[in-house]
Amino acid sequence: MWSSLNEWLWQDRFWLPPNNSWTELEDRDGLVFAHPQDMLAALPLALALVAIRFTFERLVGLPLSRWLGVQDQARKLVKPNATLEKHFLMEGWRPNKPQMAVLATQCGLTLRQTQCWFRRRRNQDRPCLTKKFCEASWRFVFYLCSFFGGLLVLYHESWLWRPAMCWDNYPNQPLKPALYYWYLLELSFYISLLITLPFDIRRKDFKEQVAHHLVTITLIAFSYSANLLRIGSLVLLLHDSTDYLLEACKMFNYAHQRRVCNSLFIIFSLVFFYTRLVLFPTQILYTTYYESIANSSPFFGYYFFNSLLVMLQLLHVFWSCLILRMIHSFTKKGQMEKDIRSDVEESASSEEEEAQEHPQLKNGAAQGPQESPTDGPRSRAAGRLANGHMLAT
């Protein structure tokens, strides 16, 4: 059964243009071609990258964050409460008002004390700035090395400057060792990102990030197996050209170096829009959709590969909308209010809620069901402090 499935999956008509077969891509006369089984080496390499990442974050990222002055906010620990903790873990970390009232009665607490417990408990699980900085520093180093490494590999290749050359004598295009190792490293890195996903910070665009990683892994694996290495290498290089700028912007944002962060944000936005919204559709999508079948008819791999590229472009449009929203805020207020693109945490609002809770606690409102007035100088000052605190984080 397995052999039949394997034979069906690797039919020539799925992967190669008409009138081409796998036998033409066998190594011969000193020429080496891409073989699908070569990609299996990415699995152990991905595990190695995970180990390297954790080592890097501990030995390089953490000391660098301290040197740049990244400081974690001091958080008050909640008092142990088995009933509230069970609800937090099993039922949800943000109970509604009726549930909150029932929990308050069960624990002998006021409603405001129960609300404060859940706010502080949510804050305990929020990622600290140091962890964010270490993750961003690892990605920055990899994307930077990958981008300039890719430039070294492709600089002298004709298809870098003329994408139409990607289809010259396709699929009979020999594989160069440097391109193979760079391709393998990229695939291993994105697999490592999926492996560490449960341990990484859960961001607001978590689903889009997962979709991006899955599409990228599928694109890399399919393009290698179908010997679409030339156009695949252009896609990788184009994406790496902006990713390291994004991570650098995050790092300086966490270090509260606003001027550097704002300058990098402007550069990143310009490069992102040009590469993702101009170069990608006009050069990459155009050549894969039109020029790739100039000398052959469409086949399954043609439709599948272009579908993945279109999905990638849709993600580009999604992130471009987020960046445009930030640019609008940037032009109005002169600085970024939040971390760029996807680094706005889902629980970011809980910190503001806790900041608004402090003046109420000081006024003694937590000792009874009455609420402190929401108007007046003290309330307005607390609101300004809360907003200012959110800008700092």
Side-chain angles (χ1 to χ4, degrees):
M1 179 179 179
W2 171 252
S3 59
S4 300
L5 179 62
N6 187 62
E7 184 178 354
W8 174 84
L9 179 64
W10 295 105
Q11 294 183 69
D12 300 338
R13 61 189 181 91
F14 289 157
W15 301 83
L16 301 174
N19 303 320
N20 288 273
S21 65
W22 292 113
T23 56
E24 300 175 8
L25 300 181
E26 294 293 334
D27 299 342
R28 63 183 184 275
D29 302 327
L31 299 178
V32 178
F33 293 88
H35 303 293
Q37 60 269 24
D38 298 340
M39 289 287 95
L40 295 176
L43 298 178
L45 185 55
L47 296 177
L49 284 177
V50 172
I52 294 173
R53 169 191 167 171
F54 288 131
T55 304
F56 174 89
E57 291 182 358
R58 183 178 182 85
L59 300 182
V60 179
L62 187 58
L64 182 60
S65 68
R66 293 171 179 169
W67 183 70
L68 290 176
V70 178
Q71 295 181 350
D72 296 328
Q73 178 189 359
R75 296 169 183 169
K76 294 183 179 180
L77 299 178
V78 297
K79 295 181 180 180
N81 189 307
T83 302
L84 298 183
E85 184 70 21
K86 181 179 179 181
H87 188 281
F88 184 88
L89 297 176
M90 304 298 294
E91 302 296 332
W93 49 273
R94 192 180 290 273
N96 54 36
K97 288 185 178 180
Q99 292 175 327
M100 196 79 73
V102 172
L103 291 171
T105 303
Q106 292 176 349
C107 299
L109 301 174
T110 65
L111 181 61
R112 190 167 300 280
Q113 287 174 332
T114 308
Q115 292 171 341
C116 182
W117 189 95
F118 274 96
R119 289 192 184 104
R120 291 180 176 176
R121 182 63 181 84
R122 288 195 297 267
N123 288 338
Q124 282 185 200
D125 287 352
R126 287 188 64 199
C128 58
L129 284 182
T130 300
K131 179 175 175 58
K132 293 180 181 180
F133 182 92
C134 290
E135 284 190 9
S137 64
W138 163 248
R139 290 190 173 98
F140 167 76
V141 170
F142 180 87
Y143 288 134
L144 183 67
C145 296
S146 178
F147 174 65
F148 286 101
L151 277 180
L152 290 175
V153 172
L154 301 179
Y155 183 78
H156 297 289
E157 302 294 346
S158 59
W159 67 82
L160 176 62
W161 314 107
R162 294 179 57 198
M165 297 296 294
C166 291
W167 316 110
D168 185 28
N169 200 33
Y170 175 78
N172 297 298
Q173 299 170 346
L175 173 65
K176 295 184 178 181
L179 182 58
Y180 164 72
Y181 290 120
W182 181 56
Y183 228 75
L184 184 65
L185 185 64
E186 289 275 4
L187 177 60
S188 302
F189 177 74
Y190 283 102
I191 293 177
S192 72
L193 290 182
L194 283 183
I195 294 175
T196 58
L197 210 56
F199 312 102
D200 289 342
I201 297 169
R202 187 183 179 91
R203 293 176 167 83
K204 196 171 184 178
D205 64 344
F206 175 80
K207 294 180 180 179
E208 289 79 10
Q209 286 285 356
V210 173
H212 174 267
H213 296 339
L214 291 175
V215 170
T216 303
I217 290 172
T218 307
L219 269 172
I220 296 175
F222 180 83
S223 61
Y224 186 91
S225 300
N227 208 23
L228 292 165
L229 288 164
R230 294 185 178 183
I231 191 64
S233 63
L234 295 185
V235 175
L236 291 175
L237 187 68
L238 184 143
H239 283 74
D240 288 343
S241 65
T242 56
D243 288 339
Y244 74 92
L245 291 172
L246 171 66
E247 302 303 332
C249 194
K250 290 181 182 181
M251 292 168 62
F252 285 105
N253 185 44
Y254 301 145
H256 303 299
Q257 299 188 21
R258 298 300 178 189
R259 292 184 178 179
V260 180
C261 179
N262 293 340
S263 301
L264 283 174
F265 173 68
I266 296 173
I267 298 173
F268 161 76
S269 301
L270 294 175
V271 176
F272 186 91
F273 291 141
Y274 179 67
T275 56
R276 308 295 179 92
L277 300 183
V278 178
L279 284 183
F280 190 84
T282 61
Q283 299 296 320
I284 304 299
L285 289 180
Y286 179 83
T287 191
T288 57
Y289 191 81
Y290 293 106
E291 297 174 337
S292 64
I293 55 173
N295 298 318
S296 64
S297 58
F299 60 105
F300 173 80
Y302 165 83
Y303 295 110
F304 182 72
F305 190 69
N306 278 284
S307 298
L308 294 176
L309 291 178
V310 170
M311 291 175 61
L312 208 56
Q313 181 62 23
L314 292 177
L315 292 172
H316 295 166
V317 174
F318 169 79
W319 282 312
S320 297
C321 293
L322 296 184
I323 295 173
L324 285 174
R325 288 171 56 188
M326 297 198 63
I327 292 177
H328 176 70
S329 176
F330 180 84
T331 54
K332 288 179 60 177
K333 301 184 178 181
Q335 67 177 7
M336 290 189 302
E337 287 191 3
K338 300 177 182 178
D339 198 356
I340 59 178
R341 202 176 68 171
S342 62
D343 208 37
V344 180
E345 309 302 331
E346 292 183 17
S347 59
S349 60
S350 63
E351 198 68 30
E352 182 177 356
E353 294 172 358
E354 188 178 18
Q356 294 173 348
E357 184 75 19
H358 285 169
Q360 297 171 355
L361 291 173
K362 290 179 181 178
N363 292 335
Q367 305 302 321
Q370 296 181 351
E371 295 185 3
S372 60
T374 58
D375 196 7
R378 179 173 297 185
S379 177
R380 289 194 294 269
R384 287 194 295 269
L385 287 174
N387 293 332
H389 172 72
M390 288 304 294
L391 288 174
T393 56

